Amino acid sequence: MKIRVGHLYPDYLNIYADRGNIAVLARRAAWRGHELDVESVSMGDALRPGAHDLLYVGGGQDREQALVAVDLAAKAAAVHEAAADGAAVLAVCGGYQLLGRFYRDRDGVELPGIGLLPLVTIAGERRMIGDVLLDCDWAGRTLAGFENHAGRTVLDAGAEPLGRVIHGFGNDGESGFEGCRAGRVIGTYLHGPLLPRNPWFADWVLAQALAHAGGGEPPQLEPLADELESEAHAVAADRARERGGRF
Ligand code: GLN
C-alpha cells in the first residue's frame, strides 16, 4: 500500500535529527512491502485535507517556531479535518507545542497553536535537557528518547499523556507525565530521533497510517528482526536511568 505522509515544515522544524523519524518509517514500511510517499508541506504551501495518511512535524528553537506559527495557524482547519478523518499525526517537541492552544516563549511572546491537542505550553527559565524513559501502559511498553526544551506543557484535565515518566523531566518536570495522546494524534518531547530506538512505536504509527490509507482497522504488522533497535533502546534507557531528569 502507498502511505502518504505530509511532512510539515521540514526546512524549519528539524532538530536532533527529527527528520530521521521519516527515514525509519520509510524503511519499516518497505520491509513490509509498503511505500512511503512523503510530501513536504511548508511555508505558504496548501495542506489538502484527505491528502495524507500521516502528518509529521519535528522540533525547533523558539525562533523557528515563531517563523512557522502563523502559517501553521492558517492551516489549522485543514489539520483538524485531516485528524477528524482519521489521519495519524506525530509531532515532536516544538511541533508538539504548536499543536496545543499556544506556546508562550521565554520572552513572554505568545505563539498561536492550532488547538488540536488539549494543552498549553509556557517556557520556563531553565531548559529541561537529557535522556528520558517513559512507561506507556496503554501499550505495555516503554519509550526512550532525548529531551531539550524550555517549554512546560500543561495538559487539560482528563487529557491522555503519552506515558508516565520513569526517568527524565517530561511535560513540565512535575506532573510525572510526558506527551499527549488523542486517538491517532500524538505529541511528544522525545527527540533522538525517537523512532529508531522505539521500533514498537514506529510500527504503531505506521499501523495507524495504514488504517487510514486502507480504511480499515490498524493492521498487525509482521514483526521484524529488531536486535539493533532493541539494543539502542536499552542503551538510551540506561542513560535515562543514570542521569535523566536532573538540571
Ligand atoms: N523551542 C521549544 C522549547 O524550548 C522547543 C524546543 C525543541 O523543539 N527541542 O521548549
Side-chain angles (χ1 to χ4, degrees):
M1 208 177 305
K2 182 174 281 193
I3 302 166
R4 304 158 304 158
V5 177
H7 188 172
L8 303 178
Y9 311 104
D11 40 356
Y12 290 85
L13 297 180
N14 175 45
I15 54 176
Y16 292 108
D18 289 340
R19 183 193 302 271
N21 289 324
I22 297 280
V24 168
L25 292 172
R27 181 57 58 182
R28 297 184 73 83
W31 282 328
R32 277 79 172 236
H34 302 298
E35 183 203 344
L36 221 67
D37 175 12
V38 182
E39 178 193 6
S40 159
V41 182
S42 194
M43 223 46 108
D45 295 340
L47 178 59
R48 293 158 293 111
H52 307 103
D53 306 304
L54 169 66
L55 293 175
Y56 173 73
V57 58
Q61 304 302 346
D62 289 6
R63 198 180 76 86
E64 279 72 31
Q65 289 173 285
L67 291 172
V68 307
V70 174
D71 186 271
L72 178 61
K75 294 179 172 53
V79 177
H80 278 261
E81 199 175 328
D85 179 52
V89 179
L90 176 61
V92 176
C93 207
Y96 162 42
Q97 295 167 338
L98 293 178
L99 291 197
R101 288 188 294 280
F102 65 78
Y103 169 50
R104 195 178 301 147
D105 69 18
R106 294 174 75 177
D107 307 323
V109 177
E110 204 162 286
L111 304 179
I114 65 171
L116 184 66
L117 287 175
L119 56 92
V120 298
T121 304
I122 297 170
E125 270 317 301
R126 302 188 70 179
R127 299 193 69 79
M128 296 188 278
I129 303 176
D131 296 281
V132 184
L133 185 64
L134 302 182
D135 171 24
C136 299
D137 55 8
W138 57 276
R141 303 278 193 137
T142 56
L143 275 178
F146 181 83
E147 62 184 335
N148 179 347
H149 53 110
R152 274 81 173 150
T153 294
V154 180
L155 304 188
D156 292 358
E160 285 278 337
L162 175 60
R164 183 179 58 77
V165 175
I166 304 172
H167 300 290
F169 293 102
N171 281 337
D172 60 1
E174 285 162 22
S175 68
F177 294 109
E178 198 289 318
C180 186
R181 187 169 66 91
R184 293 179 180 162
V185 180
I186 301 277
T188 178
Y189 275 115
L190 270 56
H191 291 285
L194 170 66
L195 300 182
R197 58 189 82 180
N198 300 288
W200 74 267
F201 188 60
D203 286 351
W204 184 88
V205 172
L206 266 181
Q208 307 311 308
L210 280 164
H212 184 261
E217 286 306 305
Q220 195 60 42
L221 297 173
E222 82 207 65
L224 295 171
D226 288 328
E227 286 80 24
L228 202 54
E229 291 84 351
S230 305
E231 216 180 298
H233 184 89
V235 168
D238 284 346
R239 281 206 305 249
R241 217 166 273 121
E242 280 151 29
R243 55 186 186 199
R246 298 192 201 126
F247 280 112

